[in-house]
Amino acid sequence: MCEECYSDKNRITPLLNPLDCLKNHTQYICGTCGRCICIEHDPVRGLQRWNFPFKSLEIAKLYLRTADFKAKSSYGIYEIENSKGRKSYKIFATNEDLELFLKKNKDKKCSQMSPVFSVAKYKEYSRTQVRKLTSAEIEQYMSER
């Protein structure tokens, strides 16, 4: 697993519409393994990508680093269950943020009330970049997928 971006697959992201995302969105470029992670604000939902619910812990881990990076703090991934028993995973800065979310969403619960994954302490990496990719970089990244 990459120490910086928490993934063992350095070309797994973007998951949805990868070519479009790489061409049009700002990317967090892992300074350790080179994985690109969309760090763009979603104009439709008004949220950052890490604010969305994820289908699995593995997918949530793919976006956790962007939350950590933006806040310069260690965030956590929490397992959330709805009233129908369906599980999803959400990224929160603190347990207080989780509790606020649960108060607003009465049909959801978090039985563990602590992160199922987080890193102990936020760390900066000197080779990290946040920018849009060039056409050549996009072509190379896609060929390596």
Side-chain angles (χ1 to χ4, degrees):
M1 178 174 84
C2 178
E3 174 185 303
E4 180 178 349
C5 73
Y6 327 129
S7 178
D8 57 356
K9 298 176 182 166
N10 69 352
R11 295 296 181 265
I12 194 167
T13 47
L15 294 176
L16 302 173
N17 305 315
L19 190 55
D20 181 59
C21 185
L22 292 171
K23 282 182 180 177
N24 299 307
H25 297 161
T26 303
Q27 302 292 318
Y28 173 99
I29 305 165
C30 178
T32 303
C33 74
R35 182 167 73 93
C36 291
I37 312 165
C38 184
I39 197 164
E40 219 37 55
H41 180 268
D42 184 315
V44 175
R45 294 188 191 181
L47 301 171
Q48 298 288 351
R49 178 68 182 108
W50 67 81
N51 292 126
F52 299 169
F54 297 97
K55 292 180 183 178
S56 71
L57 174 60
E58 291 73 29
I59 294 172
K61 278 182 178 180
L62 297 176
Y63 293 92
L64 179 61
R65 180 60 187 173
T66 56
D68 291 351
F69 176 79
K70 285 287 261 193
K72 307 293 187 227
S73 178
S74 180
Y75 275 49
I77 301 171
Y78 295 78
E79 184 179 80
I80 308 294
E81 189 174 336
N82 71 12
S83 57
K84 296 178 182 175
R86 192 169 117 211
K87 292 180 181 178
S88 63
Y89 297 82
K90 283 192 61 68
I91 297 170
F92 295 102
T94 64
N95 281 19
E96 291 77 24
D97 290 341
L98 166 68
E99 290 169 9
L100 183 61
F101 170 81
L102 294 172
K103 283 180 185 175
K104 291 179 181 178
N105 296 274
K106 301 285 185 194
D107 67 322
K108 296 184 176 22
K109 67 180 180 178
C110 179
S111 55
Q112 199 168 333
M113 294 305 288
S114 62
V116 293
F117 181 85
S118 65
V119 291
K121 186 179 177 191
Y122 174 76
K123 182 179 173 184
E124 290 279 339
Y125 293 86
S126 62
R127 295 179 46 208
T128 298
Q129 297 177 48
V130 176
R131 61 179 174 80
K132 291 197 176 187
L133 294 148
T134 66
S135 296
E137 288 172 322
I138 294 166
E139 190 174 307
Q140 180 178 345
Y141 192 87
M142 290 299 289
S143 73
E144 294 171 354
R145 284 186 68 148

